Amino acid sequence: MQQHNVISKSVQVDPLTKLLDYVPFIDLLNQRFSSDSDSKKTLTALLFIEFDDLAQFNDIFGFNTDDQLIIQLSEKLSLLLKSEDVLARAGDNQYIIMQDLSASENPKELAKHIMHMLSEPFVVDTNIFYINASIGISCYPMDGNDAYRLIKTAKNTMRHAQKDGKNNIAFTPHRVALSSYEKSVRIMEDLPAAIENGEIYFAYQPQYSYTEERFIGAEMLARWRHPEYGEVSPEFFIPLAEKSGMVGPLTVKALVDASKAFTLFESEGIDDFSLSVNISPVFLMRSTFYKTIEFLMEQYPLSGKNINFEITEEVLMKNTDNLIKTLEKLKALDIGIELDDFGTGYTSLQHLAYLPIDTLKVDKSFVSGIDKNAKKKALFKAIVDMSHALNIDVIVEGVENSSEDRIIKTFKPTKAQGYFYSRPIHRDVLVEKLKQHNKQD
Ligand code: C2E
Ligand code: CA
Ligand code: CA
């Protein structure tokens, strides 16, 4: 096999093929994307390949026929790749290829080479086999910003290819050309079912504590994998959910998922970890808001768990007296309050003195380029100093590289959240990451 598939022993590999497993492959992709900035993206294609269930041959041709075929298939696939590409085994009959597109490689060409390779027979003992496959392709950054999203898209695309028959290649589903108004209407109609059926789910972005030097929590970020439009950004669908009254059910789902995540953490021996849920001002202002939260905290055992609500400055402009009462009642339920996107809105610094806020999340606009901008540095320092004086923690959002991180650290904020530490990731990947991190302690 070629050099690129020889992975160091410490990394999880598939025992049969010695190829990278799914979870380390996700990590590898996210690491690759983590050093990107808005202006520089490491163009990458993912090819999701599913071939026939080979175990079916074992009954007729003998035990282990499938293993022999899989080994041959892995070797033949490896030979088609460049040294920058990575082949991983994602399941019994699934592979994923990460293709580096920086040297103007073409994923469709690679997919064609794979199909051509499969048109030749495989030989085990004296028997001849033909293997069918379907391939779905997604591209970074066009189809998503993190590994999990890109893999899901490639896999979904592969399912589209399968619908058209075996041995097919498909790119990400062609987004139907609709006006944005028509699209909004469709998205609003699809929202209730999507919350129910799991098309909408939550990614977890870890938060790193500078003082404790470990991941101490995560923010839950809504994701929607729409069957027709592909990935729909929360920046698009949250405002529509607010308009159509679905933002309440979305928050309920977030809290139910949070309770499941805490149960998983406990079973994996992870404690002292917080989860932050975004609360839309529209929901917060509803008369039913507090009762709903109180009910959920009891019903799903969330009481006593380390849970935070992220609210935005927007709510501060409205009905401040009622807001303070609501926030105090939430604090009585042991819910931490974080003020999100600080610095983009209307909050005057005075607000902070009387609002029951535990944490300030400094918006990423303060951070990007702080290493090159003395004014930003001064502003940032002022915010951190003032928060410390008021006994408010500071989370810095959108830390993207080591040079920003180095500067930020000197002002001693409490925590950081950003691509430099981790992209938003799937819950299971988060658990792996935390276990890995705990081991190093
Ligand atoms: P937010 O609450 O400010 O969330 C942070 C956003 O910044 C996320 O985008 C996250 O992926 C992105 N981000 C994190 N680190 C970095 C970084 O280093 N660089 C850059 N450039 N971006 C970074 P996302 O997930 O697309 O969410 C966008 C917004 O949608 C959120 O902004 C939040 O306002 C809203 N949202 C997401 N999920 C929910 C939800 O469940 N409920 C409500 N009400 N709003 C949500
Ligand atoms: Ca947030
Ligand atoms: Ca934010």
mmCIF file of all heavy atoms in Angstrom, residues 38 202 205 219-223 233-235 238 242 247 250 278-280 310 340-341 364 397-400 417-420 424, ligand 1:
data_model
loop_
_atom_site.group_PDB
_atom_site.id
_atom_site.type_symbol
_atom_site.label_atom_id
_atom_site.label_comp_id
_atom_site.label_asym_id
_atom_site.label_seq_id
_atom_site.Cartn_x
_atom_site.Cartn_y
_atom_site.Cartn_z
ATOM 1 N N ASP A 38 -11.243 33.242 6.897
ATOM 2 C CA ASP A 38 -12.296 33.559 5.922
ATOM 3 C C ASP A 38 -11.726 33.742 4.522
ATOM 4 O O ASP A 38 -12.369 33.438 3.526
ATOM 5 C CB ASP A 38 -13.042 34.827 6.346
ATOM 6 C CG ASP A 38 -14.021 34.507 7.472
ATOM 7 O OD1 ASP A 38 -14.303 33.302 7.674
ATOM 8 O OD2 ASP A 38 -14.473 35.443 8.138
ATOM 9 N N PHE A 202 -28.311 19.171 16.855
ATOM 10 C CA PHE A 202 -27.396 20.154 17.439
ATOM 11 C C PHE A 202 -25.949 19.705 17.335
ATOM 12 O O PHE A 202 -25.640 18.543 17.585
ATOM 13 C CB PHE A 202 -27.770 20.433 18.910
ATOM 14 C CG PHE A 202 -29.085 21.128 19.014
ATOM 15 C CD1 PHE A 202 -30.267 20.409 19.101
ATOM 16 C CD2 PHE A 202 -29.158 22.516 18.947
ATOM 17 C CE1 PHE A 202 -31.498 21.048 19.135
ATOM 18 C CE2 PHE A 202 -30.380 23.165 18.986
ATOM 19 C CZ PHE A 202 -31.546 22.434 19.077
ATOM 20 N N GLN A 205 -20.016 22.991 20.136
ATOM 21 C CA GLN A 205 -18.701 23.623 19.995
ATOM 22 C C GLN A 205 -18.039 23.772 21.369
ATOM 23 O O GLN A 205 -18.533 24.509 22.227
ATOM 24 C CB GLN A 205 -18.790 24.989 19.307
ATOM 25 C CG GLN A 205 -17.384 25.514 19.004
ATOM 26 C CD GLN A 205 -17.369 26.802 18.211
ATOM 27 O OE1 GLN A 205 -18.262 27.629 18.354
ATOM 28 N NE2 GLN A 205 -16.343 26.962 17.383
ATOM 29 N N GLU A 219 -21.100 24.934 23.489
ATOM 30 C CA GLU A 219 -22.325 25.611 23.043
ATOM 31 C C GLU A 219 -23.051 24.699 22.066
ATOM 32 O O GLU A 219 -22.419 24.094 21.192
ATOM 33 C CB GLU A 219 -21.980 26.943 22.351
ATOM 34 C CG GLU A 219 -23.222 27.626 21.781
ATOM 35 C CD GLU A 219 -22.956 28.995 21.147
ATOM 36 O OE1 GLU A 219 -21.780 29.423 21.089
ATOM 37 O OE2 GLU A 219 -23.936 29.615 20.701
ATOM 38 N N MET A 220 -24.358 24.607 22.205
ATOM 39 C CA MET A 220 -25.144 23.788 21.273
ATOM 40 C C MET A 220 -25.623 24.673 20.130
ATOM 41 O O MET A 220 -26.277 25.689 20.352
ATOM 42 C CB MET A 220 -26.334 23.174 22.006
ATOM 43 C CG MET A 220 -25.901 22.194 23.094
ATOM 44 S SD MET A 220 -27.284 21.587 24.064
ATOM 45 C CE MET A 220 -28.169 20.602 22.838
ATOM 46 N N LEU A 221 -25.283 24.272 18.907
ATOM 47 C CA LEU A 221 -25.632 25.077 17.730
ATOM 48 C C LEU A 221 -26.528 24.265 16.796
ATOM 49 O O LEU A 221 -26.196 23.134 16.425
ATOM 50 C CB LEU A 221 -24.358 25.515 17.014
ATOM 51 C CG LEU A 221 -23.521 26.523 17.816
ATOM 52 C CD1 LEU A 221 -22.087 26.552 17.343
ATOM 53 C CD2 LEU A 221 -24.150 27.916 17.738
ATOM 54 N N ALA A 222 -27.670 24.851 16.445
ATOM 55 C CA ALA A 222 -28.651 24.125 15.638
ATOM 56 C C ALA A 222 -28.137 23.926 14.212
ATOM 57 O O ALA A 222 -27.518 24.815 13.633
ATOM 58 C CB ALA A 222 -29.967 24.897 15.619
ATOM 59 N N ARG A 223 -28.397 22.743 13.674
ATOM 60 C CA ARG A 223 -28.036 22.399 12.302
ATOM 61 C C ARG A 223 -29.248 21.809 11.599
ATOM 62 O O ARG A 223 -29.996 21.058 12.210
ATOM 63 C CB ARG A 223 -26.917 21.337 12.293
ATOM 64 C CG ARG A 223 -25.615 21.805 12.929
ATOM 65 C CD ARG A 223 -24.906 22.743 11.964
ATOM 66 N NE ARG A 223 -23.719 23.341 12.524
ATOM 67 C CZ ARG A 223 -23.682 24.549 13.077
ATOM 68 N NH1 ARG A 223 -24.789 25.271 13.183
ATOM 69 N NH2 ARG A 223 -22.559 25.053 13.511
ATOM 70 N N SER A 233 -28.355 27.132 6.893
ATOM 71 C CA SER A 233 -27.675 27.788 8.006
ATOM 72 C C SER A 233 -28.678 28.231 9.069
ATOM 73 O O SER A 233 -29.773 28.707 8.744
ATOM 74 C CB SER A 233 -26.913 28.999 7.483
ATOM 75 O OG SER A 233 -26.619 29.876 8.544
ATOM 76 N N PRO A 234 -28.299 28.132 10.360
ATOM 77 C CA PRO A 234 -29.196 28.640 11.403
ATOM 78 C C PRO A 234 -29.454 30.137 11.231
ATOM 79 O O PRO A 234 -30.506 30.628 11.627
ATOM 80 C CB PRO A 234 -28.444 28.349 12.714
ATOM 81 C CG PRO A 234 -27.050 28.036 12.339
ATOM 82 C CD PRO A 234 -27.080 27.535 10.919
ATOM 83 N N GLU A 235 -28.481 30.820 10.625
ATOM 84 C CA GLU A 235 -28.705 32.254 10.422
ATOM 85 C C GLU A 235 -29.882 32.503 9.479
ATOM 86 O O GLU A 235 -30.494 33.559 9.493
ATOM 87 C CB GLU A 235 -27.434 32.916 9.890
ATOM 88 C CG GLU A 235 -26.538 33.253 11.045
ATOM 89 C CD GLU A 235 -25.113 33.547 10.676
ATOM 90 O OE1 GLU A 235 -24.607 32.995 9.676
ATOM 91 O OE2 GLU A 235 -24.502 34.327 11.402
ATOM 92 N N ILE A 238 -33.317 30.254 11.828
ATOM 93 C CA ILE A 238 -33.763 30.708 13.163
ATOM 94 C C ILE A 238 -34.733 31.898 13.038
ATOM 95 O O ILE A 238 -35.807 31.884 13.643
ATOM 96 C CB ILE A 238 -32.571 31.051 14.087
ATOM 97 C CG1 ILE A 238 -31.685 29.823 14.322
ATOM 98 C CG2 ILE A 238 -33.040 31.673 15.412
ATOM 99 C CD1 ILE A 238 -32.200 28.769 15.263
ATOM 100 N N GLU A 242 -38.520 31.929 14.366
ATOM 101 C CA GLU A 242 -39.060 32.975 15.253
ATOM 102 C C GLU A 242 -40.384 33.494 14.701
ATOM 103 O O GLU A 242 -41.347 33.683 15.428
ATOM 104 C CB GLU A 242 -38.046 34.116 15.399
ATOM 105 C CG GLU A 242 -36.857 33.715 16.278
ATOM 106 C CD GLU A 242 -35.733 34.743 16.291
ATOM 107 O OE1 GLU A 242 -35.679 35.598 15.375
ATOM 108 O OE2 GLU A 242 -34.889 34.671 17.208
ATOM 109 N N VAL A 247 -39.730 28.580 17.342
ATOM 110 C CA VAL A 247 -38.479 28.701 18.068
ATOM 111 C C VAL A 247 -38.609 28.114 19.480
ATOM 112 O O VAL A 247 -37.634 27.586 20.038
ATOM 113 C CB VAL A 247 -37.963 30.163 18.043
ATOM 114 C CG1 VAL A 247 -38.778 31.058 18.938
ATOM 115 C CG2 VAL A 247 -36.496 30.222 18.385
ATOM 116 N N LEU A 250 -38.061 24.383 19.122
ATOM 117 C CA LEU A 250 -36.634 24.172 18.851
ATOM 118 C C LEU A 250 -35.829 24.201 20.159
ATOM 119 O O LEU A 250 -34.944 23.378 20.379
ATOM 120 C CB LEU A 250 -36.114 25.253 17.892
ATOM 121 C CG LEU A 250 -34.648 25.119 17.513
ATOM 122 C CD1 LEU A 250 -34.457 23.992 16.497
ATOM 123 C CD2 LEU A 250 -34.103 26.419 16.944
ATOM 124 N N ASN A 278 -28.711 28.456 23.107
ATOM 125 C CA ASN A 278 -29.097 29.787 22.631
ATOM 126 C C ASN A 278 -30.592 29.996 22.827
ATOM 127 O O ASN A 278 -31.400 29.152 22.435
ATOM 128 C CB ASN A 278 -28.764 29.930 21.144
ATOM 129 C CG ASN A 278 -27.277 30.063 20.918
ATOM 130 O OD1 ASN A 278 -26.675 31.085 21.225
ATOM 131 N ND2 ASN A 278 -26.663 28.999 20.418
ATOM 132 N N ILE A 279 -30.949 31.108 23.437
ATOM 133 C CA ILE A 279 -32.364 31.407 23.669
ATOM 134 C C ILE A 279 -32.743 32.624 22.837
ATOM 135 O O ILE A 279 -32.173 33.707 22.999
ATOM 136 C CB ILE A 279 -32.622 31.713 25.166
ATOM 137 C CG1 ILE A 279 -32.165 30.538 26.052
ATOM 138 C CG2 ILE A 279 -34.082 32.053 25.407
ATOM 139 C CD1 ILE A 279 -32.969 29.264 25.916
ATOM 140 N N SER A 280 -33.697 32.407 21.943
ATOM 141 C CA SER A 280 -34.126 33.512 21.093
ATOM 142 C C SER A 280 -34.892 34.546 21.914
ATOM 143 O O SER A 280 -35.724 34.195 22.766
ATOM 144 C CB SER A 280 -35.018 32.957 19.980
ATOM 145 O OG SER A 280 -35.966 33.908 19.604
ATOM 146 N N GLU A 310 -27.835 31.371 26.613
ATOM 147 C CA GLU A 310 -27.207 32.512 25.944
ATOM 148 C C GLU A 310 -28.307 33.445 25.457
ATOM 149 O O GLU A 310 -29.167 33.050 24.675
ATOM 150 C CB GLU A 310 -26.353 32.031 24.759
ATOM 151 C CG GLU A 310 -25.222 31.139 25.202
ATOM 152 C CD GLU A 310 -24.134 30.941 24.144
ATOM 153 O OE1 GLU A 310 -24.236 31.520 23.036
ATOM 154 O OE2 GLU A 310 -23.183 30.196 24.446
ATOM 155 N N ASP A 340 -24.637 37.070 24.927
ATOM 156 C CA ASP A 340 -24.001 36.649 23.673
ATOM 157 C C ASP A 340 -23.663 37.845 22.783
ATOM 158 O O ASP A 340 -24.272 38.912 22.910
ATOM 159 C CB ASP A 340 -25.000 35.728 22.945
ATOM 160 C CG ASP A 340 -24.322 34.806 21.953
ATOM 161 O OD1 ASP A 340 -23.095 34.874 21.815
ATOM 162 O OD2 ASP A 340 -25.047 34.004 21.324
ATOM 163 N N ASP A 341 -22.745 37.652 21.887
ATOM 164 C CA ASP A 341 -22.397 38.645 20.846
ATOM 165 C C ASP A 341 -22.100 40.021 21.438
ATOM 166 O O ASP A 341 -22.403 41.050 20.818
ATOM 167 C CB ASP A 341 -23.545 38.804 19.823
ATOM 168 C CG ASP A 341 -23.923 37.491 19.174
ATOM 169 O OD1 ASP A 341 -23.089 36.576 19.161
ATOM 170 O OD2 ASP A 341 -25.058 37.389 18.670
ATOM 171 N N LYS A 364 -16.968 37.816 17.987
ATOM 172 C CA LYS A 364 -15.755 37.508 17.220
ATOM 173 C C LYS A 364 -15.199 38.706 16.457
ATOM 174 O O LYS A 364 -14.021 38.731 16.111
ATOM 175 C CB LYS A 364 -15.944 36.297 16.310
ATOM 176 C CG LYS A 364 -17.114 36.309 15.375
ATOM 177 C CD LYS A 364 -17.109 35.000 14.559
ATOM 178 C CE LYS A 364 -18.358 34.827 13.728
ATOM 179 N NZ LYS A 364 -19.499 34.316 14.505
ATOM 180 N N GLU A 397 -15.195 34.727 21.718
ATOM 181 C CA GLU A 397 -15.720 33.947 20.595
ATOM 182 C C GLU A 397 -14.855 34.128 19.350
ATOM 183 O O GLU A 397 -14.257 35.183 19.153
ATOM 184 C CB GLU A 397 -17.127 34.437 20.240
ATOM 185 C CG GLU A 397 -18.186 34.043 21.229
ATOM 186 C CD GLU A 397 -19.565 34.224 20.602
ATOM 187 O OE1 GLU A 397 -20.030 35.365 20.501
ATOM 188 O OE2 GLU A 397 -20.153 33.218 20.205
ATOM 189 N N GLY A 398 -14.846 33.115 18.518
ATOM 190 C CA GLY A 398 -14.238 33.235 17.193
ATOM 191 C C GLY A 398 -12.720 33.318 17.178
ATOM 192 O O GLY A 398 -12.146 33.947 16.296
ATOM 193 N N VAL A 399 -12.063 32.664 18.166
ATOM 194 C CA VAL A 399 -10.596 32.615 18.140
ATOM 195 C C VAL A 399 -10.205 31.634 17.028
ATOM 196 O O VAL A 399 -10.569 30.465 17.072
ATOM 197 C CB VAL A 399 -10.029 32.119 19.486
ATOM 198 C CG1 VAL A 399 -8.513 32.147 19.469
ATOM 199 C CG2 VAL A 399 -10.569 32.965 20.619
ATOM 200 N N GLU A 400 -9.511 32.149 16.023
ATOM 201 C CA GLU A 400 -9.271 31.311 14.846
ATOM 202 C C GLU A 400 -7.832 30.843 14.693
ATOM 203 O O GLU A 400 -7.574 29.885 13.977
ATOM 204 C CB GLU A 400 -9.703 32.050 13.576
ATOM 205 C CG GLU A 400 -11.211 32.201 13.489
ATOM 206 C CD GLU A 400 -11.698 32.717 12.154
ATOM 207 O OE1 GLU A 400 -10.881 33.259 11.385
ATOM 208 O OE2 GLU A 400 -12.902 32.579 11.885
ATOM 209 N N GLN A 417 -13.640 30.212 22.699
ATOM 210 C CA GLN A 417 -14.430 29.325 21.844
ATOM 211 C C GLN A 417 -14.152 29.764 20.415
ATOM 212 O O GLN A 417 -14.301 30.944 20.094
ATOM 213 C CB GLN A 417 -15.917 29.496 22.189
ATOM 214 C CG GLN A 417 -16.857 28.615 21.414
ATOM 215 C CD GLN A 417 -18.327 28.921 21.724
ATOM 216 O OE1 GLN A 417 -18.654 29.501 22.757
ATOM 217 N NE2 GLN A 417 -19.197 28.560 20.811
ATOM 218 N N GLY A 418 -13.715 28.857 19.586
ATOM 219 C CA GLY A 418 -13.440 29.252 18.207
ATOM 220 C C GLY A 418 -12.789 28.122 17.448
ATOM 221 O O GLY A 418 -12.425 27.105 18.037
ATOM 222 N N TYR A 419 -12.661 28.309 16.131
ATOM 223 C CA TYR A 419 -12.130 27.245 15.279
ATOM 224 C C TYR A 419 -10.731 26.815 15.715
ATOM 225 O O TYR A 419 -10.328 25.688 15.481
ATOM 226 C CB TYR A 419 -12.087 27.692 13.819
ATOM 227 C CG TYR A 419 -13.449 27.963 13.213
ATOM 228 C CD1 TYR A 419 -13.567 28.629 11.986
ATOM 229 C CD2 TYR A 419 -14.611 27.540 13.848
ATOM 230 C CE1 TYR A 419 -14.798 28.883 11.424
ATOM 231 C CE2 TYR A 419 -15.852 27.792 13.289
ATOM 232 C CZ TYR A 419 -15.946 28.464 12.077
ATOM 233 O OH TYR A 419 -17.167 28.695 11.523
ATOM 234 N N PHE A 420 -9.972 27.742 16.363
ATOM 235 C CA PHE A 420 -8.624 27.380 16.812
ATOM 236 C C PHE A 420 -8.687 26.216 17.805
ATOM 237 O O PHE A 420 -7.847 25.327 17.790
ATOM 238 C CB PHE A 420 -7.948 28.593 17.452
ATOM 239 C CG PHE A 420 -6.575 28.303 18.006
ATOM 240 C CD1 PHE A 420 -5.540 27.904 17.172
ATOM 241 C CD2 PHE A 420 -6.317 28.425 19.367
ATOM 242 C CE1 PHE A 420 -4.276 27.635 17.671
ATOM 243 C CE2 PHE A 420 -5.053 28.160 19.878
ATOM 244 C CZ PHE A 420 -4.032 27.765 19.029
ATOM 245 N N PRO A 424 -17.666 23.363 15.647
ATOM 246 C CA PRO A 424 -18.798 22.639 16.237
ATOM 247 C C PRO A 424 -18.735 21.186 15.742
ATOM 248 O O PRO A 424 -18.497 20.958 14.556
ATOM 249 C CB PRO A 424 -20.015 23.365 15.655
ATOM 250 C CG PRO A 424 -19.508 24.716 15.240
ATOM 251 C CD PRO A 424 -18.101 24.488 14.794
HETATM 252 P P1 C2E B 1 -23.772 32.522 17.807
HETATM 253 O O1 C2E B 1 -24.616 32.166 18.975
HETATM 254 O O2 C2E B 1 -22.933 33.747 17.952
HETATM 255 O O3 C2E B 1 -22.871 31.235 17.517
HETATM 256 C C1 C2E B 1 -21.523 31.290 17.102
HETATM 257 C C2 C2E B 1 -21.421 31.133 15.599
HETATM 258 O O4 C2E B 1 -20.062 31.397 15.216
HETATM 259 C C3 C2E B 1 -21.719 29.730 15.131
HETATM 260 O O5 C2E B 1 -22.259 29.812 13.821
HETATM 261 C C4 C2E B 1 -20.333 29.108 15.076
HETATM 262 O O6 C2E B 1 -20.241 28.012 14.205
HETATM 263 C C5 C2E B 1 -19.516 30.279 14.581
HETATM 264 N N1 C2E B 1 -18.104 30.175 14.981
HETATM 265 C C6 C2E B 1 -17.582 29.545 16.049
HETATM 266 N N2 C2E B 1 -16.250 29.685 16.096
HETATM 267 C C7 C2E B 1 -15.908 30.436 15.023
HETATM 268 C C8 C2E B 1 -14.644 30.929 14.514
HETATM 269 O O7 C2E B 1 -13.567 30.703 15.065
HETATM 270 N N3 C2E B 1 -14.697 31.683 13.379
HETATM 271 C C9 C2E B 1 -15.871 31.946 12.742
HETATM 272 N N4 C2E B 1 -15.816 32.684 11.611
HETATM 273 N N5 C2E B 1 -17.072 31.510 13.190
HETATM 274 C C10 C2E B 1 -17.076 30.765 14.323
HETATM 275 P P2 C2E B 1 -23.605 29.055 13.458
HETATM 276 O O8 C2E B 1 -23.604 27.707 14.090
HETATM 277 O O9 C2E B 1 -23.772 29.178 11.994
HETATM 278 O O10 C2E B 1 -24.730 29.878 14.205
HETATM 279 C C11 C2E B 1 -25.062 31.166 13.804
HETATM 280 C C12 C2E B 1 -26.049 31.807 14.759
HETATM 281 O O11 C2E B 1 -27.325 31.137 14.699
HETATM 282 C C13 C2E B 1 -25.629 31.691 16.224
HETATM 283 O O12 C2E B 1 -24.663 32.657 16.490
HETATM 284 C C14 C2E B 1 -26.958 31.904 16.909
HETATM 285 O O13 C2E B 1 -27.274 33.285 16.962
HETATM 286 C C15 C2E B 1 -27.938 31.248 15.966
HETATM 287 N N6 C2E B 1 -28.272 29.902 16.495
HETATM 288 C C16 C2E B 1 -27.643 28.718 16.284
HETATM 289 N N7 C2E B 1 -28.259 27.716 16.932
HETATM 290 C C17 C2E B 1 -29.315 28.264 17.584
HETATM 291 C C18 C2E B 1 -30.364 27.739 18.433
HETATM 292 O O14 C2E B 1 -30.436 26.555 18.757
HETATM 293 N N8 C2E B 1 -31.290 28.643 18.897
HETATM 294 C C19 C2E B 1 -31.247 29.971 18.607
HETATM 295 N N9 C2E B 1 -32.189 30.752 19.103
HETATM 296 N N10 C2E B 1 -30.283 30.494 17.817
HETATM 297 C C20 C2E B 1 -29.327 29.664 17.312
#
